[in-house]
Each structure stands twice: as C-alpha cells, then as structure tokens.
C-alpha cells in the first residue's frame, strides 16, 4: 500500500511549509514547491525564492525580496 507522507501547508501565496516523512521524498517535494512559487514570482518580478531547512524533513519555500528575481537560494536555520 502506498501512503502519502509529504504534508504541504500553503500559508499564503508567498510561502509553502513542507514536512517529509522520508528522505527520498525531499527532492520532488521541494522541486514542486519551488515551481509553484516561480509562477507567483513571475507576476511581480521583485523577488527570488529562498528554501530554508529548519530540521530534518522540515522546510519552508518562500518568495524573498532579498533574493534577486530569477534566483533560488538555500539556507539552513540555526
């Protein structure tokens, strides 16, 4: 039986919180979230995308005005 273990919460049109139960889901989940926000970024062309790893399996993908349009930056939370 296949279970859905990735949880996504869209807190607004500019940020997506992701939680993964297994490491093999991370790449696809982050790629999907980034692609979703690219569509939003294209409308205003003022910001890029920041992917932040908060802890194992917990990420936020968000539009960020400190990231140049057309770029994606990655961070690890302290």
């Amino acid at each position: 039986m296949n279970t859905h273990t990735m949880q996504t919460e869209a807190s607004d049109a500019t940020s997506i919180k992701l939680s993964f139960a297994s490491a093999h889901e991370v790449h696809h989940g982050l790629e999907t979230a980034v692609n979703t926000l690219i569509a939003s970024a294209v409308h205003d062309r003022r910001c890029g995308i920041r992917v932040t790893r908060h802890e194992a399996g917990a990420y936020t993908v968000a539009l960020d005005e400190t990231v140049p349009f057309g770029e994606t930056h990655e961070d690890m939370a302290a």
Side-chain angles (χ1 to χ4, degrees):
M1 174 166 47
N2 191 5
T3 59
H4 183 71
T5 54
M6 183 183 81
Q7 298 176 357
T8 304
E9 299 174 21
S11 57
D12 55 37
T14 63
S15 178
I16 300 172
K17 294 181 181 180
L18 300 131
S19 176
F20 302 98
S22 66
H24 74 274
E25 298 173 321
V26 173
H27 178 74
H28 175 70
L30 291 176
E31 183 177 15
T32 300
V34 167
N35 287 336
T36 298
L37 290 185
I38 285 173
S40 296
V42 167
H43 290 287
D44 63 20
R45 296 185 178 266
R46 294 181 311 165
C47 57
I49 297 172
R50 183 171 307 277
V51 178
T52 304
R53 181 181 183 264
H54 301 283
E55 59 186 28
Y59 296 82
T60 301
V61 179
L63 297 180
D64 188 327
E65 291 185 0
T66 66
V67 177
F69 174 72
E71 294 184 18
T72 300
H73 292 188
E74 299 177 12
D75 288 324
M76 291 186 75

